[in-house]
Amino acid sequence: MKKDTPDFKSLEELKGKVISVNKGSAYDAWLRDLERKIGWTVESYGTQTDAVQAVIAGRAYANVAGNTAIAWAVKGNPQLKLGYLHSTGLVWAIALRKDSVPLRDTLDEALECLKADGTIAKLHEKWFGIVPAPGSAAVTSFPGHGVPGFVGYDPAAHEAKCS
């Protein structure tokens, strides 16, 4: 959002507003799914940079993107501020072959260790200028291996072997 834009506390407060988004992103689909319910207008742009520029130019009230992408944009632009943080439940993941179960588990556990010792939170703050939200994927290890709801997810409990 532009730095002088009033803060808001719910998505419903965006009724009647134009929201910019990177065309084809997961957030584009998410915004459009809620367009009738909330009453906002979605404008999709070919790049995230163009979607942010729409806010700066006053063509859009706010831009929706992943929390790290938007934090990076705000960190480098004094005309902007972070607004409302809403968890869509969408997550980023590393794509692996279905038969790469040992590699999936190794990567998952390495990330768990980096979360447990605070490394990812420190990197998040360094690169994005903000402390990750409590409960966010940057600081929270989730049960099992893989992404819940996706092919290959294994809900079995485990303990990461951090060294």
Side-chain angles (χ1 to χ4, degrees), residues 79-149:
Q79 298 174 68
L80 300 173
K81 69 175 180 178
L82 292 173
Y84 180 70
L85 177 62
H86 177 83
S87 178
T88 62
L90 301 171
V91 296
W92 292 100
I94 300 169
L96 299 170
R97 290 169 42 130
K98 289 180 184 179
D99 62 353
S100 295
V101 172
L103 178 58
R104 178 207 60 197
D105 293 354
T106 299
L107 290 170
D108 236 8
E109 291 178 28
L111 288 169
E112 289 173 15
C113 292
L114 292 170
K115 290 175 186 184
D117 74 6
T119 299
I120 291 182
K122 288 175 192 164
L123 289 169
H124 190 283
E125 190 168 359
K126 175 183 177 179
W127 288 103
F128 306 121
I130 56 171
V131 174
S136 70
V139 294
T140 304
S141 292
F142 301 100
H145 285 106
V147 179

